[in-house]
Structures are given as C-alpha cells and as structure tokens.
Amino acid sequence: MSVSMEKIVSLCKRRGFIFQSSGIYGGINACYDYGPLGVELKNNVKAFWWKSMVYDNDNVVGLDAAILMHPKVWEASGHVAGFTDPLVDCKVCKQRFREDEIDPEKLKIRQCPKCGNKGSLTEARQFNLMFKTNMGPVEDSSSQIYLRPETAQGIYVNYKNVLETSRQKIPFGIAQIGKAFRNEITPGNFVFRTREFEQMEMQYFVKPGNDQEAFEEWKEKRKNWYRALGIRQENLRFHEHQGDELAHYAKAAFDIQYNYPIGWKELEGIHNRTDFDLTRHQEYSGKDLTYFDDVNRERFIPYIVETSAGVDRTLLTCLVDGYAEEELENETRTVLRLAPHVAPVKAAVFPLVKKDGMPEMARKIHQELKKLFNVFYDETGAVGRRYRRQDEAGTPFCITVDSQSLQDDTVTLRDRDSMEQERLPIAGLGHELEKKIRTGE
Amino acid sequence: MSVSMEKIVSLCKRRGFIFQSSGIYGGINACYDYGPLGVELKNNVKAFWWKSMVYDNDNVVGLDAAILMHPKVWEASGHVAGFTDPLVDCKVCKQRFREDEIDPEKLKIRQCPKCGNKGSLTEARQFNLMFKTNMGPVEDSSSQIYLRPETAQGIYVNYKNVLETSRQKIPFGIAQIGKAFRNEITPGNFVFRTREFEQMEMQYFVKPGNDQEAFEEWKEKRKNWYRALGIRQENLRFHEHQGDELAHYAKAAFDIQYNYPIGWKELEGIHNRTDFDLTRHQEYSGKDLTYFDDVNRERFIPYIVETSAGVDRTLLTCLVDGYAEEELENETRTVLRLAPHVAPVKAAVFPLVKKDGMPEMARKIHQELKKLFNVFYDETGAVGRRYRRQDEAGTPFCITVDSQSLQDDTVTLRDRDSMEQERLPIAGLGHELEKKIRTGE
C-alpha cells in the first residue's frame, strides 16, 4: 500500500467526493466542500459512529451544542490563554511564520525563510488560533465571541442538564458530532488538517478511581471501531503521549494513529482528562458541578475519559485505506474498497444494453431497491466502463440485467473486490444485498 | 390547539430536548443546545428530508459545503451590499435599536424607546447581519471573511463541479443541510429565530421557460412533505409574496406557513430565483456558468427553483403541532404526538415490577429491539408514571413485561395516542413495530 495524497485528491475531485471550497473564486485555503459521493460517505461514517456510541451503549446519550458559546467557556477551558502558536514577522517582506517551523539555523540569525534577509525577524508573539467574531449590534471587546475550536466544551457545560433530564447515573457518556474551527497557520495535507472541520467526540463521566479502567475500555472499543469501519488492522496503531506531549489536563493519552501517505498520524485521541474540565467550569461559572452518588452517599467531581475523532480525517482514512490500482489484462483499474455499510452508493443497476426491454426491467429493480438503500441507475456506455466507474466510487455491488434476465427473472450480481459475478433471482435480491451490506458492521 | 410557547420551552428544558446554550454562564443570546431527545428528533427530521429529497428523486444529489467561503461569494450574492438592517443609536443611554421596530410616533420625535429622551436618536445606518471574522495570521480587511448567512451560495458555486461529476442533466437538483449564521438584532421566540441555525435547502436547476412548472411541482411536494412529517394540514398554508415582499432576485415566491403560538409564520420558502444567482457568480468569478443542452444543442444559464427550510423551525413545528394536554380521570397528561418515524425514541420497554424475572425478560427484549431502532429501558417507579414520561418524550410505543409474559411469551404493546393496549407475542415484535413506525412515511 503506497497511494500518494495526490492520487486521493485527484480521485476526490474527479468523482465528486471533495472539492476545494469556493473553487470558482480561486478557492479558500484549508476549507473543503463535500460533493455528492463525499457527503454520502461522510453521513455514513457519522451514522455508524452515532450508532456505535449512542445506540449500542445504554449509558451514552447524544447532544448537539451550538458552535457559538459564551466567551467565558474559553477562559475556563484555557483556550483564551493557551491555545496559541508562536508567530514571527519579517520586517522586510512582511510575511508571517510559525516560529517553531523555521529552520533553527536561520532562526538563530533571524533570517527570513522567504526573502532571505538577515536580522529581519521580530521576536515571537503568541497568536491565538480561535476565530473571533462579534455578536450583537456593537462591535467591541464586550461583544467578542469565538467559533468553538473543539466540541468537547459544549458537552462539559451541559453535563448537569443531561444528568437531570436523561435518568443516567455515573458512569455515563455524552456523544456529539459537530463542526469546530481553528485558524491554523499551516494547515494542509488535504482534509487532514483544515481550518473548518467536524469532530465526533464522546465524553465519559466516571467516579475518580474508576478512570483507568474506563480509559482502557474505550481505548480498545475505539480501535475496534476502525476495524468495523473496514480499516486494515496493519495500518492502525496506538501511540502513547509521554512527557511534554501530554496536555496539561491529561493524566494519560493515547492516539490511534493511521499509516497515511504522509506517515503515521493521529486519527483519534483517547484522553484521561481527570476532573480538570469540570473543576475549571465550576470555578469560572460559580455553579455546583459535583455529582452525588446516592448509592454510596458520596459527592465528587467526575473524572472524564474522552474519545475524540475527526470526521474529515476518518473519511480520508477510508479513502486512503480503500484505494487500490490493479493491473488487469488490458488496463489498470482504480478501485475503492470501502466497507459496504459506509459506501456512498450500495449498488448500481445496469441494463446490459439499451434495448429489448432491459432498461425497463433494470429501472424497475432500481425503484424497488432504492426503498432500502442508496442505489444508482446507469445505462450509458459499455458495461465494462460502467463497472469501472462504480469501482472508483466504491460501490460494492453491480446488478446487470441481460437477455437471460428477460427469460428467467434473474440478474448478475458483481462483486467490486473480486469482480466475480453470480446469478441471482430478482425476487429476494434486496434482502440478499441487505445481508451483504450489513456484514461489515 | 393553543399551546403557548412557554409550555414548549418548559417541556424542552424539562425533558432534555433543548437547553439554552452555555447555560451555566448565564446563556448566550439566541443560541441553543439540543439535548439527548432533541438531537434524536433533529437527526430524524434531517434524515427524513434527505431521504425525501436525495433518495426519492433520481435527479437530486447531495452536497455539504463549508461554512467559511471566499468573501467574493457574498459580494456576488448581494449580501455585502444589501443584507442589512437599519440601526439607530440613542445618544443618551447608548442603546441600539432596529429603526423599523421603533414606534413611528416615537421615531418622529427621535424619542428613545428605552430611556425616553427626546431627540436622542441618531440617523439610521445600515448594519450588516453577517458575522465577520479573519482567516490567517493577519487581521485586516484583506483577511476578512464571513460566516455564511445561508447555505444556498455553497450550492451555486459548486453547480459546475456537481454537473461534471454526477452525470446529471437539467433538470436536476442539489440538496444540502448545514448551519448558517445571522447576527440578528432582534432574535427571539425560542428556536424560531436564532443567530445560529440549520437549513435544509434544495436548489433545482431548470431550463428557462420550464421554471414555472418546476416551481409548482416543488411547491406541492414540499407541502406534502410536512404532512408526511406528521404536521396537521389545518395548521399549514401557503402565503404568496407580493409587491415589496418579493426579493429582488425572485420572480415568484411562496412561503409554507405554520400556525405557531406566535401566529402564522414562515416555515419554508419556495422561490423562483430565475438566473439571478448564476449570472452574478459568472460575472464576479469570470467563470463560464452556462449549461450546454446536448440534445437541443443550446446553451443557457439555468433558472433556479429553491426550496429553503429551517431545521430548528421544523423541529419546533413538530413539537408545537404534537403537544397536547389531556384531562384524564385523575390527572392531566402531557403528550407529544410526534409521527413515529421522527420520534426520538421509538419504543420503551418496561418490566411491570422489578422482580420475578420480569426485568431480565424486559432487558432481553430491549437488547433485541435496539438492533432495529432507538429503544429505551426503564424499570424505575410505577408503570403509570413510566408511561407518562414516555408520553411527554413522544415515544409512540411502550412494551410491558408482566406476569403473563413469563408464562406465554407475550407482552402488552401500548399506543401513546390512544393509550390502548394489545397483547402480542414477543416473537415478531420487532417486525410488527417496524411496520407501525414506517406507516408515517
């Protein structure tokens, strides 16, 4: 496996998975739009996460908090003071750089990496990565708010609301999917690091002392989830944060890393955040955020184990892990081996040729199947080319109506990965496909 | 039907549908967080819309464009110049007001509606409702961008990308669900008008001349959709925009209005936007946005028919339309008559009492059913109170395991609306419920 990022970007653009945002205006840096196939893949990834977290765990409930929050939230969380990168300016060419990304030799003599002037770099200042805006009709510091740089805080400030309304007891979790924004100085690598992105986070509230056990449990559950998503095990590994890597709020942290074309990188973080967050919010809000355990008659601030994944990054992982180019007899085929349950289109229906009643029969099958899942109909061009188009889109199954179909009410079912075909009766086809699609879960 | 908005707000808070955002910090004006029940209802509404638009129409595909777009988009769309409200300041108390909301008598003598001083109001200036922020490390006008005030423009700038990748031909539509932001001066009425909100928009591209037909078609389809959503027909009506009401870009516009506690208000807009949007984007981007019809060998800029609905407003409509208080023998019950297919929880499973093996049997049923849909288990308190809790949450079905269940493997199935119970075998229960849930669609 050694697909380049360029091939992924090219496939995404060519097939309508992902476009550069505002492309007709030359684009906007580090923002992307999901096209017809991309949005289906993304929705499937999100739905599978939601099912795995909320529906499969009786003690996890969902939440959807606003992107715009009270500015005090970000003081309590530490983002106002500490969510920064060190920036230096070149006094000559006016360019800005992240100090920690300048070659140390050049930095020593304050030499600009762009214009080459020596002694031209200013001292570093701390640049906050939160996007700022103003709410209400007055534009001054009193109305300044932020676009949330993470979804987690929306869960912490609602934890008492959820407790009071959902009949949960500790240990319990709150799961959320939503957008977050970071004014990254050096975003890049396609949708790996963007300024607007989507997170899938679950915060698990436990009694102090039970945190390590919960941490281990979720670490395993989350790694298994990627396997259920269809990601190959050899491309996944744990990376433990040690020493300086460990955030100030974390007692323990593991990344699930994936073997991207750009190397092993974080796909998801699992953190033992201790009682840091709730303690801070209790302090800054003046509200009681303790939990009362009515069995053991004790009161405490819960510890939190967090599982934090990126939607865009997970989608990228599906694309990278599934991408393959295969040498066939006379051609190279590009195929996207997505797990059937996340594939944008589950099946494509073709008439072998555009005559003799085949299109009519194929359309009828298409109409029936699309009551069950997303199905595509195509009658244009040679059937071989239609197969290739679906291979590239990750469609796991193709159904072809041929002359035999007209006689015995059967069709061929072609498998994307093996390219093998079997003949099946039209009656019961939907049921058969549903079984095959569900296998991945 | 005459539920007050206060009762809806109270139910939402009490049962965890909707909370004020950042509540522990005193809240942030006109932003709301969706709790465990709210997020399920919202996801169901969105999924039903997506299915109705994208899967049920072969010529409609999905898109998910970024919130942050190139600033030129908003010059082309007209938002930079014209998306404004007239604001006046009081020179004495420093308060700001929307000029069009001040009592005309007071306005005539420039009398402040708050402090009462005469002659204290400034002349009106135009206040732009787009939230502004800066992207990148430099904070000046060159880096200024906006939070999108509507999702529609993300579709227009991608229309060629979609055409090139999706094999669609005119007429075809692009559907999108996503957040938008408006710095409203006077938001209010709970989630009816908020500063952060979510839209469900579909833009339908047609040949000029076929626009009126498409307009009529979508008008009917969209009104029918609300009926399929379970909204009572007598609470829905069309309102035609006439004269000044009609936006500068629109040839024709109808609102679907709902009879809210605050009166008949817009729930969705259906607009014939002509070629205004694509013509403007062609002009501002310098890119060719014409469409070539290869059957009739002609080139034109498509007309656009838009259907634009609010997710939050639709959810509010479900709550208002479904809310009822019923006088029973000894009590008043609050019930939320949501259509089963959008209800947050489809069924609740109870053991009649917490002994004799009933909890074990009920849990087993719960485990089986939750493979199919969202199910809640509850064994706490009298069964009558448990029914009431589910009535308020909109759960259409309650399943109770009683002593007879232990003998003959049957349960009672209680209907939320009629409160009638029937006895059903446990085998096949899931299938039976699936049928009942699907009826609404």
mmCIF file of all heavy atoms in Angstrom, chain A residues 238-250:
data_model
loop_
_atom_site.group_PDB
_atom_site.id
_atom_site.type_symbol
_atom_site.label_atom_id
_atom_site.label_comp_id
_atom_site.label_asym_id
_atom_site.label_seq_id
_atom_site.Cartn_x
_atom_site.Cartn_y
_atom_site.Cartn_z
ATOM 1 N N PHE A 238 -1.441 2.203 18.217
ATOM 2 C CA PHE A 238 -1.553 3.142 19.328
ATOM 3 C C PHE A 238 -0.254 3.919 19.475
ATOM 4 O O PHE A 238 0.841 3.389 19.261
ATOM 5 C CB PHE A 238 -1.809 2.403 20.645
ATOM 6 C CG PHE A 238 -3.230 1.975 20.835
ATOM 7 C CD1 PHE A 238 -3.551 0.630 20.980
ATOM 8 C CD2 PHE A 238 -4.254 2.908 20.900
ATOM 9 C CE1 PHE A 238 -4.860 0.225 21.180
ATOM 10 C CE2 PHE A 238 -5.563 2.513 21.097
ATOM 11 C CZ PHE A 238 -5.876 1.165 21.231
ATOM 12 N N HIS A 239 -0.379 5.162 19.853
ATOM 13 C CA HIS A 239 0.804 5.949 20.200
ATOM 14 C C HIS A 239 0.524 6.596 21.551
ATOM 15 O O HIS A 239 -0.470 7.318 21.717
ATOM 16 C CB HIS A 239 1.052 7.019 19.141
ATOM 17 C CG HIS A 239 2.019 8.080 19.588
ATOM 18 N ND1 HIS A 239 3.392 7.852 19.625
ATOM 19 C CD2 HIS A 239 1.822 9.348 20.040
ATOM 20 C CE1 HIS A 239 3.981 8.953 20.081
ATOM 21 N NE2 HIS A 239 3.047 9.872 20.333
ATOM 22 N N GLU A 240 1.370 6.334 22.520
ATOM 23 C CA GLU A 240 1.144 6.889 23.856
ATOM 24 C C GLU A 240 1.821 8.245 23.993
ATOM 25 O O GLU A 240 2.984 8.401 23.618
ATOM 26 C CB GLU A 240 1.693 5.925 24.921
ATOM 27 C CG GLU A 240 1.382 6.412 26.324
ATOM 28 C CD GLU A 240 1.788 5.431 27.417
ATOM 29 O OE1 GLU A 240 2.406 4.399 27.082
ATOM 30 O OE2 GLU A 240 1.487 5.715 28.583
ATOM 31 N N HIS A 241 1.104 9.218 24.542
ATOM 32 C CA HIS A 241 1.706 10.525 24.808
ATOM 33 C C HIS A 241 2.552 10.437 26.054
ATOM 34 O O HIS A 241 2.088 9.959 27.091
ATOM 35 C CB HIS A 241 0.624 11.583 25.018
ATOM 36 C CG HIS A 241 -0.088 11.967 23.772
ATOM 37 N ND1 HIS A 241 -0.443 13.249 23.468
ATOM 38 C CD2 HIS A 241 -0.503 11.211 22.723
ATOM 39 C CE1 HIS A 241 -1.051 13.281 22.305
ATOM 40 N NE2 HIS A 241 -1.126 12.055 21.837
ATOM 41 N N GLN A 242 3.785 10.920 25.944
ATOM 42 C CA GLN A 242 4.656 10.870 27.114
ATOM 43 C C GLN A 242 5.344 12.204 27.315
ATOM 44 O O GLN A 242 5.576 12.954 26.368
ATOM 45 C CB GLN A 242 5.686 9.756 26.940
ATOM 46 C CG GLN A 242 5.037 8.390 27.123
ATOM 47 C CD GLN A 242 5.968 7.242 26.850
ATOM 48 O OE1 GLN A 242 6.685 7.256 25.857
ATOM 49 N NE2 GLN A 242 5.958 6.243 27.718
ATOM 50 N N GLY A 243 5.671 12.507 28.562
ATOM 51 C CA GLY A 243 6.421 13.724 28.889
ATOM 52 C C GLY A 243 5.731 14.960 28.355
ATOM 53 O O GLY A 243 4.539 15.197 28.629
ATOM 54 N N ASP A 244 6.440 15.749 27.549
ATOM 55 C CA ASP A 244 5.941 17.024 27.029
ATOM 56 C C ASP A 244 4.707 16.894 26.147
ATOM 57 O O ASP A 244 3.935 17.840 26.000
ATOM 58 C CB ASP A 244 7.048 17.704 26.193
ATOM 59 C CG ASP A 244 8.073 18.369 27.088
ATOM 60 O OD1 ASP A 244 7.884 18.307 28.318
ATOM 61 O OD2 ASP A 244 9.052 18.912 26.560
ATOM 62 N N GLU A 245 4.578 15.743 25.521
ATOM 63 C CA GLU A 245 3.453 15.530 24.607
ATOM 64 C C GLU A 245 2.104 15.569 25.332
ATOM 65 O O GLU A 245 1.078 15.909 24.743
ATOM 66 C CB GLU A 245 3.594 14.133 23.978
ATOM 67 C CG GLU A 245 3.917 14.114 22.510
ATOM 68 C CD GLU A 245 3.882 12.685 22.005
ATOM 69 O OE1 GLU A 245 4.413 11.773 22.687
ATOM 70 O OE2 GLU A 245 3.297 12.448 20.950
ATOM 71 N N LEU A 246 2.143 15.192 26.592
ATOM 72 C CA LEU A 246 0.914 15.061 27.376
ATOM 73 C C LEU A 246 0.359 16.457 27.703
ATOM 74 O O LEU A 246 1.061 17.287 28.266
ATOM 75 C CB LEU A 246 1.244 14.298 28.665
ATOM 76 C CG LEU A 246 0.134 13.506 29.337
ATOM 77 C CD1 LEU A 246 -0.440 12.441 28.426
ATOM 78 C CD2 LEU A 246 0.675 12.852 30.615
ATOM 79 N N ALA A 247 -0.903 16.699 27.339
ATOM 80 C CA ALA A 247 -1.511 18.004 27.621
ATOM 81 C C ALA A 247 -1.608 18.230 29.128
ATOM 82 O O ALA A 247 -1.643 17.274 29.907
ATOM 83 C CB ALA A 247 -2.895 18.067 26.985
ATOM 84 N N HIS A 248 -1.668 19.513 29.515
ATOM 85 C CA HIS A 248 -1.674 19.850 30.946
ATOM 86 C C HIS A 248 -2.862 19.241 31.695
ATOM 87 O O HIS A 248 -2.795 18.986 32.873
ATOM 88 C CB HIS A 248 -1.657 21.369 31.135
ATOM 89 C CG HIS A 248 -2.830 22.059 30.492
ATOM 90 N ND1 HIS A 248 -2.886 22.305 29.136
ATOM 91 C CD2 HIS A 248 -3.997 22.521 30.999
ATOM 92 C CE1 HIS A 248 -4.024 22.906 28.847
ATOM 93 N NE2 HIS A 248 -4.713 23.038 29.956
ATOM 94 N N TYR A 249 -3.961 19.009 30.974
ATOM 95 C CA TYR A 249 -5.155 18.497 31.642
ATOM 96 C C TYR A 249 -5.194 16.975 31.690
ATOM 97 O O TYR A 249 -6.090 16.395 32.270
ATOM 98 C CB TYR A 249 -6.420 19.019 30.952
ATOM 99 C CG TYR A 249 -6.437 18.755 29.461
ATOM 100 C CD1 TYR A 249 -6.686 17.477 28.964
ATOM 101 C CD2 TYR A 249 -6.194 19.773 28.546
ATOM 102 C CE1 TYR A 249 -6.686 17.223 27.612
ATOM 103 C CE2 TYR A 249 -6.194 19.526 27.181
ATOM 104 C CZ TYR A 249 -6.432 18.258 26.727
ATOM 105 O OH TYR A 249 -6.436 18.000 25.389
ATOM 106 N N ALA A 250 -4.244 16.315 31.023
ATOM 107 C CA ALA A 250 -4.375 14.867 30.832
ATOM 108 C C ALA A 250 -3.475 14.063 31.770
ATOM 109 O O ALA A 250 -2.316 14.383 31.977
ATOM 110 C CB ALA A 250 -4.086 14.511 29.385
#
